[in-house]
Amino acid sequence: MWCFNNCLAFGKDWIQLVKGGRQPKYSQDETKPDGELDYFSYSEVPLHDPNRKPGADLDDHSSTCARYPDIIRLLRILPTRKDGFLACNIRPVELGGATALNYDALSYTWGPTTRDEIKNGVNAKRHRVIICNNRRLSVTENLFNCLTQLEEDGRYHRDLWVDAICINQDDLAERSAQVSIMADIYRSAERVITLSGAMDPGAFSSTSLADLLGDRISPKYWRPVALFFGRTWFTRAWVVQELVLARETTVLCGKYVFDWDAIVTASELMAQRASASTLKIDPFSALYGSSLSYKNPAKLAAIKRDVLSGKRDVLLHSLIRCRSYEASNDHDKVYSILGFANCQHYGRHNLYPDYERSVAELYTDFAEYLLETSHDLHLLAHAEGDEFRQIPGLPTWVPDWSVKKDLGLRITGYARYEAAGKLPCFKEIRGGGILVLRGFEFDTISRIGETKEEVNRTKVCTGWLDLLDEVEQEFPNTRDHRDAFWRTLLVDTDPSQTVPITRPWEDAFNIWMDLGVHSRSVEEKRLAAEYETSFTHSLNLRLFRTTGGHLGCGTLSCKKGDSIWIVQGSRVPLILRPTEQGDSTTYNLVGGTYLHGFMQGEALDGRAFGEVTLI
């Protein structure tokens, strides 16, 4: 991986050389009063290696890329304040050089850490002052609090790497170059210290941490723990790399020190058993989004397992798991996870960190990179259509990672499905946003129902029941439509990852929705709670029926008239929409879908495959 990051640095140096670079600058929110210290300037501690030749070996993207030293800055908090201000020194050092570095890397959030801080006006503006190398330096409120906490803890003897201070954020050339080696910075740190903000008053005061976290967590503590996991730190895009690459992790929240493994265990347990209902969170409450973040630590742990095991497609799987994570810059949804990959093919796809290029160009190049380095078309199932597009200029088959929602069937990799059987993947990228595939049109959407999120919030599913009645009347005695109905809403899988579902949930939907009149037993209510947990795992889906009388659950963007295709290399059927030009072989991609009864290759018999073009 070090090769990957250094290839990035070479390419970025060359890009900046060609563009002419940009002079470092640092803007301040305040004017210096007479008699006070001057403002800090990054020109006093430059990141410069006179021996590096920009562009050297730019075309060599193999695993034997020549290694050049990387320069970073490290900060050390001083034991004595200056004029009442927290004081520190900062100096440049060589990363990976002959002299071993002993430092901790800080992982935190620039802006507010909780919803209460947002309400109280905490923001990411640099309006707090510290002293750095005997000069005034403005930092954000939360970073100021983080440094103050470390100062109070007596962490004077340790060097720290803090992105907002150790990188000149106002110099795009330096920022891009440092982002290209960010993975090495966190991988080389002895410890990553995560600061999630101040502890909520009274949140855990009467409870021991042993009871709150780990596999012994009681359901009565799920709500406060879920809200803790909903803090901003757990939802940052950059935290994925910072945590996954850490040798050792210390999690601080106020004066509390949390064990990361215990956090993960609690999160995994809640992911299998909890829902907004069991947490007693009103779906219309402002806390609803935060409460559903209880899965975040489990997601991060899964990514770390994939990285350590060298699992294929780790970049795509990481983005899928953390699609809802926040990034102040849309470029960072991609740049924040690039350190997990190898540098091979990288330069050809122009993925060197460059914040001056358009996000559409970056996402398109990244999609092409993923397709060329993958053995399947799993990427396409996450394009999701018009409902989830904010970045203009993207081809319809390129996912818009700036949309911060958990989308798709919410099953990483879709390995339990084989809609196209074991046929080899076919894909041809022709440039200009054109992608050619091989497949056949199987069916057409004839009616759509409510979204799962709408039903979960309102407990009204009139459209679903009408849709089901319609299919039963048109196709009587052909199949068990009601069995297909409840299975389709769960994409026929459960937390045990089995397909099809083997749990006795036939009546659980009716019980959960309170349909029917007879009173429910304790066992029936338990089964309904299990059903709800699986149902709420993937809410951004819409139920539909086809002209052939089949039920499906796919992207919210699907419409009546969209066609369902089986495509070589795609584990799930794809929803396509004819273009305005009316070309019978050219389509817009709407997204992936579950189609009941056709997820294991059942649609392949007697079908002829042909080329289809996506734009």
Side-chain angles (χ1 to χ4, degrees):
M1 288 191 192
W2 58 260
C3 168
F4 167 84
N5 291 295
N6 281 276
C7 284
L8 290 180
F10 301 155
K12 188 57 202 174
D13 283 345
W14 181 249
I15 289 171
Q16 293 303 325
L17 181 66
V18 172
K19 290 184 177 180
R22 179 177 292 194
Q23 293 299 315
K25 60 187 179 67
Y26 192 85
S27 59
Q28 295 289 338
D29 294 336
E30 334 173 338
T31 302
K32 179 178 76 68
D34 293 337
E36 292 191 0
L37 295 173
D38 291 332
Y39 286 121
F40 175 80
S41 171
Y42 282 93
S43 62
E44 300 174 12
V45 281
L47 298 178
H48 177 61
D49 175 17
N51 296 318
R52 171 174 285 181
K53 298 177 181 179
D57 299 318
L58 183 61
D59 294 326
D60 179 11
H61 305 293
S62 68
S63 60
T64 58
C65 297
R67 182 165 176 77
Y68 284 76
D70 295 301
I71 309 300
I72 64 173
R73 300 183 184 95
L74 291 180
L75 171 150
R76 180 171 292 195
I77 299 174
L78 300 179
T80 304
R81 290 199 162 205
K82 185 174 183 63
D83 298 331
F85 291 100
L86 182 148
C88 64
N89 278 342
I90 187 173
R91 74 187 195 283
V93 297
E94 182 179 322
L95 182 67
T99 303
L101 299 178
N102 299 307
Y103 67 94
D104 297 333
L106 207 62
S107 178
Y108 66 104
T109 176
W110 284 24
T113 62
T114 64
R115 289 184 176 272
D116 286 341
E117 289 185 359
I118 295 175
K119 293 178 182 178
N120 293 333
V122 176
N123 54 47
K125 293 183 178 180
R126 295 175 291 196
H127 59 85
R128 299 302 297 264
V129 175
I130 64 172
I131 303 301
C132 186
N133 290 15
N134 289 315
R135 299 287 190 270
R136 293 163 59 90
L137 176 65
S138 295
V139 297
T140 66
E141 179 77 23
N142 191 46
L143 177 53
F144 179 83
N145 293 336
C146 291
L147 294 174
T148 300
Q149 180 176 340
L150 295 177
E151 179 195 36
E152 292 175 352
D153 292 344
R155 295 179 183 266
Y156 309 124
H157 62 291
R158 296 289 297 173
D159 284 327
L160 296 171
W161 187 84
V162 185
D163 61 349
I165 297 177
C166 296
I167 300 175
N168 182 357
Q169 299 292 334
D170 294 315
D171 180 2
L172 288 183
E174 177 179 310
R175 193 169 102 196
S176 296
Q178 290 286 285
V179 165
S180 73
I181 60 171
M182 196 82 79
D184 280 340
I185 292 174
Y186 277 93
R187 190 182 295 109
S188 300
E190 289 195 346
R191 179 188 299 103
V192 172
I193 302 174
T194 69
L195 295 106
S196 59
M199 178 63 73
D200 296 332
F204 304 140
S205 58
S206 61
T207 308
S208 70
L209 297 182
D211 291 330
L212 280 170
L213 300 174
D215 57 5
R216 293 183 296 169
I217 181 173
S218 169
K220 68 180 180 181
Y221 300 132
W222 283 1
R223 178 186 169 109
V225 170
L227 295 178
F228 172 58
F229 291 165
R231 283 170 171 252
T232 308
W233 181 84
F234 288 98
T235 62
R236 290 176 54 244
W238 278 106
V239 79
V240 180
Q241 179 173 262
E242 295 166 3
L243 187 74
V244 167
L245 298 180
R247 299 186 199 173
E248 182 181 336
T249 304
T250 299
V251 182
L252 303 179
C253 184
K255 294 298 182 180
Y256 284 85
V257 179
F258 288 84
D259 177 73
W260 176 249
D261 290 337
I263 287 176
V264 170
T265 300
S267 176
E268 292 174 338
L269 181 69
M270 293 173 66
Q272 295 177 6
R273 303 182 185 178
S275 66
S277 176
T278 57
L279 294 172
K280 295 181 172 57
I281 301 291
D282 183 352
F284 296 97
S285 166
L287 295 177
Y288 184 73
S290 292
S291 71
L292 297 184
S293 297
Y294 56 83
K295 301 176 183 178
N296 287 339
K299 293 179 184 178
L300 295 172
I303 293 173
K304 186 159 190 169
R305 288 193 296 270
D306 286 353
V307 171
L308 293 178
S309 64
K311 190 172 182 179
R312 177 178 287 276
D313 296 330
V314 66
L315 291 181
L316 177 58
H317 291 181
S318 298
L319 271 174
I320 293 170
R321 286 187 172 109
C322 300
R323 192 163 190 168
S324 63
Y325 281 33
E326 298 287 339
S328 57
N329 189 308
D330 291 331
H331 295 76
D332 287 335
K333 291 300 286 283
V334 171
Y335 291 155
S336 62
I337 52 96
L338 287 182
F340 298 155
N342 189 281
C343 65
Q344 192 173 9
H345 310 303
Y346 211 75
R348 180 155 54 89
H349 289 279
N350 195 23
L351 295 180
Y352 300 114
D354 180 5
Y355 288 93
E356 295 187 84
R357 68 186 308 221
S358 74
V359 176
E361 289 177 328
L362 172 62
Y363 286 6
T364 302
D365 287 343
F366 186 61
E368 292 182 1
Y369 170 78
L370 292 176
L371 285 175
E372 288 197 7
T373 56
S374 175
H375 294 318
D376 58 41
L377 299 175
H378 186 46
L379 170 81
L380 305 185
H382 297 275
E384 293 295 333
D386 295 338
E387 289 284 332
F388 303 101
R389 295 207 163 253
Q390 299 176 160
I391 303 298
L394 287 176
T396 61
W397 52 271
V398 175
D400 185 346
W401 302 112
S402 71
V403 175
K404 303 174 181 66
K405 287 182 177 292
D406 286 325
L407 303 177
L409 307 186
R410 303 290 295 120
I411 304 167
T412 305
Y414 293 177
R416 63 198 73 173
Y417 302 125
E418 284 187 334
K422 299 186 182 299
L423 293 173
C425 179
F426 176 90
K427 54 183 180 284
E428 185 178 316
I429 302 171
R430 293 184 177 174
I434 295 176
L435 176 64
V436 178
L437 310 173
R438 286 183 60 82
F440 62 86
E441 183 176 358
F442 178 68
D443 211 337
T444 303
I445 296 177
S446 59
R447 178 171 178 170
I448 62 173
E450 298 97 337
T451 71
K452 288 179 62 176
E453 183 169 18
E454 289 170 346
V455 173
N456 184 56
R457 286 176 178 269
T458 65
K459 295 298 184 291
V460 175
C461 61
T462 306
W464 286 2
L465 299 179
D466 290 345
L467 185 153
L468 178 60
D469 289 341
E470 184 179 273
V471 171
E472 287 183 322
Q473 291 177 18
E474 291 182 24
F475 300 89
N477 305 318
T478 58
R479 62 185 72 95
D480 189 342
H481 298 294
R482 292 194 174 270
D483 182 73
F485 174 73
W486 72 262
R487 289 182 182 276
T488 298
L489 292 176
L490 302 184
V491 297
D492 207 13
T493 191
D494 58 31
S496 68
Q497 302 184 8
T498 58
V499 176
I501 295 173
T502 57
R503 300 192 181 189
W505 285 349
E506 293 83 356
D507 298 320
F509 176 79
N510 289 341
I511 299 170
W512 173 52
M513 290 290 292
D514 200 22
L515 302 175
V517 293
H518 76 275
S519 60
R520 309 300 185 181
S521 68
V522 173
E523 176 62 13
E524 286 178 321
K525 292 180 180 179
R526 184 187 67 79
L527 292 174
E530 288 182 357
Y531 186 94
E532 180 195 27
T533 298
S534 286
F535 180 93
T536 57
H537 182 65
S538 54
L539 288 175
N540 287 305
L541 294 172
R542 183 185 298 280
L543 185 72
F544 63 82
R545 62 151 295 189
T546 70
T547 55
H550 305 298
L551 296 179
C553 210
T555 172
L556 271 58
S557 302
C558 68
K559 297 178 181 179
K560 178 181 178 180
D562 289 343
S563 56
I564 299 176
W565 284 65
I566 305 298
V567 177
Q568 286 185 219
S570 177
R571 292 183 174 276
V572 299
L574 299 179
I575 301 175
L576 306 186
R577 183 174 298 159
T579 62
E580 295 179 356
Q581 290 81 1
D583 185 342
S584 61
T585 61
T586 302
Y587 291 82
N588 293 321
L589 175 62
V590 180
T593 187
Y594 173 88
L595 187 66
H596 189 69
F598 300 95
M599 299 302 290
Q600 304 299 332
E602 295 91 340
L604 298 179
D605 291 345
R607 298 286 181 165
F609 285 75
E611 286 193 358
V612 58
T613 300
L614 303 184
I615 60 174

